[in-house]
Amino acid sequence: MKKQAGMLELPVLGLLKERSMHGYELRKQLSAMLGPFWQVSWGSLYPALRRLAKSEAVVVEPVVKPRRSNRETKQKQATGLSPGRRKTVYRITPKGEEMFLAMLEESAHAVDADHFTLKLAFFRYLQPEARLMLLERRRAYLTEKLAQFRNNLREYRERIDSYTLSMQNHSMAATESDIAWIDELITQERAPKDVRPEISNA
Amino acid sequence: MKKQAGMLELPVLGLLKERSMHGYELRKQLSAMLGPFWQVSWGSLYPALRRLAKSEAVVVEPVVKPRRSNRETKQKQATGLSPGRRKTVYRITPKGEEMFLAMLEESAHAVDADHFTLKLAFFRYLQPEARLMLLERRRAYLTEKLAQFRNNLREYRERIDSYTLSMQNHSMAATESDIAWIDELITQERAPKDVRPEISNA
DNA sequence: GTTAGCATGTAAGGAGTTACATGATTTT
DNA sequence: AAAATCATGTAACTCCTTACATGCTAAC
């Protein structure tokens, strides 16, 4: 219906840009950053990491944390297996940084809610003009959807039942709320940030 | 991240339950019913119809609307091709009706926003108790997410930047708004529908 | 006569989901 | 000693997306 490919790449690179991490931690940070509606599964995260490694956006660094207690060290030492807890830490490469910025700036996929959310989470890496462009694009998209809602209802209102009507009304209200929020972000973006205005009173 | 398979089956069967239609019209009705955020592509609709036909939930009825003007009839008549505008009308079968109700009542997949929306669009086919159950389940799901948001923010608030924070706050507000809407629906569902209360004044 | 809308599909490709599978470490 | 959490992955399956491909009909 509305979901496309490769959504994980951007936030994964964005997090690795801050510091190298292994998959397990990456998932936790992803949830912390994006909220509980974004549950990333292992089956999507690890393949995404492999894709990133394959395209040389990240490099893998196998890390073995040796056992803490030194008296248990000899247990399986002979086999060479089970060398403490193993991790696979991923580090972003210069190429990965490039890809990250390219994905972030690309405005083609900025319209739908999920892609917009992902970009917003890394807005700090964009110039104010780029931020404003993405905000305006998202705003235009939502405004268009709102107009389509109204046209749609003008034509079909009588034919849809009360539950569906309630759903569409709620959907429209949510869209209006989204627009109001974007407007806030736009206003803040346009406001000069360095001068912190005191109570403006002559 | 959060989208699963076979979402089209339910609304397609639901629409065909009202009347038989062909694919093109089905898509229009789908959009009219679900709103502009649900753009169904041909590449997903036709395969879904084929799946439904294969599982005998619908039967296909090829319909040929003959040409209106009778003097042009002979043009390609010899070849046997191009017999006016062809349509493929789909009609729901008793088995399809069963499947529709089973999908509609199944509460396992009722929690996420999209599945809930789809079920709501056909709530009229459910008993009030079944409706209340789905509403309560959705409510519980949203309440849980809200709690997760708060926990999450309690732990990570300092580590996330202002854009991400703004996004999470907006997301929480939207979730609260969703809950309030569900509460409205629950209230209306519990209210007796046949007695229309006049101004209650003693 | 040309554009816009009606009408039906296929093909290639990538991606996500669920379930499976395994093992280490820390906490209770 | 058991449970929870850390940690990494694979496999099968199904689905969606985008682009391609074709042709009819009404309206301007």
Side-chain angles (χ1 to χ4, degrees):
Chain A
M1 234 73 89
K2 48 186 100 114
K3 204 61 62 71
Q4 295 97 302
M7 294 234 273
L8 253 39
E9 270 80 347
L10 179 69
V12 163
L13 288 178
L15 284 179
L16 292 181
K17 192 175 163 65
E18 289 163 23
R19 62 183 169 86
S20 297
M21 274 180 259
H22 57 274
Y24 193 87
E25 192 181 4
L26 220 26
R27 191 175 90 138
K28 278 207 309 185
Q29 296 298 323
L30 241 26
S31 280
M33 181 174 63
L34 300 170
F37 285 112
W38 296 74
Q39 301 276 356
V40 178
S41 63
W42 304 119
S44 65
L45 179 59
Y46 284 114
L49 284 169
R50 222 185 306 139
R51 286 198 299 274
L52 286 172
K54 196 176 162 188
S55 60
E56 297 174 327
V58 301
V59 286
V60 298
E61 300 177 341
V63 168
V64 175
K65 183 187 143 196
R67 282 202 193 77
R68 186 186 78 282
S69 58
N70 34 16
R71 65 178 135 81
E72 290 165 22
T73 318
K74 59 187 163 201
Q75 272 191 339
K76 291 180 187 175
Q77 166 186 14
T79 64
L81 294 173
S82 166
R85 176 174 290 175
R86 91 182 193 285
K87 293 180 183 177
T88 307
V89 171
Y90 296 86
R91 183 155 48 84
I92 194 170
T93 64
K95 190 175 173 194
E97 303 255 7
E98 271 176 48
M99 285 174 57
F100 171 73
L101 269 181
M103 284 189 252
L104 188 55
E105 280 171 349
E106 184 197 24
S107 53
H109 294 303
V111 282
D112 71 274
D114 286 343
H115 281 110
F116 177 74
T117 296
L118 290 180
K119 287 181 194 244
L120 194 66
F122 298 101
F123 250 35
R124 62 181 174 285
Y125 295 117
L126 287 177
Q127 303 291 328
E129 310 87 58
R131 291 199 277 251
L132 275 170
M133 193 175 90
L134 292 177
L135 288 168
E136 304 277 16
R137 272 188 110 87
R138 169 78 177 151
R139 195 193 191 285
Y141 172 78
L142 290 174
T143 306
E144 194 202 335
K145 291 296 167 188
L146 206 48
Q148 288 171 7
F149 262 119
R150 294 197 228 275
N151 276 332
N152 191 35
L153 280 178
R154 198 174 298 129
E155 235 183 306
Y156 291 99
R157 198 185 298 122
E158 288 95 39
R159 262 175 283 178
I160 60 184
D161 68 88
S162 65
Y163 291 110
T164 309
L165 187 60
S166 174
M167 176 235 117
Q168 286 212 25
N169 282 331
H170 178 63
S171 211
M172 285 176 73
T175 305
E176 281 165 356
S177 164
D178 283 351
I179 292 175
W181 172 55
I182 301 290
D183 282 342
E184 254 181 64
L185 290 174
I186 289 175
T187 303
Q188 285 168 24
E189 203 60 54
R190 288 216 177 104
K193 275 168 294 297
D194 34 16
V195 289
R196 188 120 60 80
E198 299 292 312
I199 300 104
S200 59
N201 197 3
Chain B
M1 238 72 91
K2 52 181 97 112
K3 202 64 62 70
Q4 294 94 302
M7 293 234 274
L8 253 41
E9 271 81 347
L10 178 70
V12 163
L13 288 178
L15 284 179
L16 293 180
K17 192 176 163 66
E18 286 163 27
R19 63 184 169 83
S20 297
M21 275 181 258
H22 56 273
Y24 193 88
E25 193 181 5
L26 220 27
R27 193 177 87 135
K28 279 207 309 185
Q29 296 299 324
L30 241 25
S31 281
M33 182 174 62
L34 299 171
F37 285 112
W38 295 75
Q39 301 275 357
V40 179
S41 64
W42 304 121
S44 65
L45 179 59
Y46 284 114
L49 284 169
R50 221 184 307 136
R51 286 197 300 273
L52 285 172
K54 196 175 163 190
S55 60
E56 296 175 326
V58 301
V59 287
V60 298
E61 298 177 343
V63 169
V64 175
K65 185 184 140 195
R67 281 204 192 71
R68 186 186 79 279
S69 59
N70 35 15
R71 62 178 138 81
E72 290 167 20
T73 318
K74 59 186 164 207
Q75 274 191 335
K76 292 181 184 173
Q77 164 187 15
T79 64
L81 294 173
S82 169
R85 177 174 290 177
R86 93 181 192 285
K87 292 180 184 178
T88 307
V89 171
Y90 297 86
R91 183 156 47 84
I92 194 170
T93 63
K95 190 176 173 192
E97 302 256 6
E98 271 176 48
M99 284 173 57
F100 170 74
L101 270 181
M103 283 189 253
L104 189 54
E105 281 172 346
E106 186 198 22
S107 52
H109 293 302
V111 283
D112 71 275
D114 287 342
H115 281 110
F116 178 73
T117 296
L118 290 180
K119 287 182 193 241
L120 194 67
F122 298 101
F123 249 35
R124 61 180 175 286
Y125 294 117
L126 286 176
Q127 304 292 328
E129 311 87 58
R131 291 199 277 253
L132 277 170
M133 194 176 90
L134 292 177
L135 289 168
E136 304 277 16
R137 272 187 110 87
R138 170 78 175 148
R139 196 192 190 284
Y141 172 79
L142 291 173
T143 306
E144 194 203 333
K145 290 295 168 191
L146 206 49
Q148 288 171 8
F149 261 119
R150 293 197 230 274
N151 275 332
N152 192 34
L153 280 178
R154 198 172 299 131
E155 236 184 306
Y156 291 99
R157 197 186 299 123
E158 288 96 38
R159 262 175 283 178
I160 61 185
D161 69 88
S162 66
Y163 291 110
T164 308
L165 187 60
S166 175
M167 178 235 117
Q168 286 212 26
N169 282 331
H170 178 64
S171 210
M172 282 177 75
T175 304
E176 280 165 358
S177 164
D178 283 350
I179 292 175
W181 173 54
I182 301 291
D183 282 342
E184 254 182 64
L185 290 174
I186 288 176
T187 302
Q188 283 168 26
E189 203 61 55
R190 289 218 175 104
K193 276 166 293 298
D194 34 16
V195 289
R196 188 119 60 80
E198 301 291 311
I199 301 107
S200 59
N201 197 4

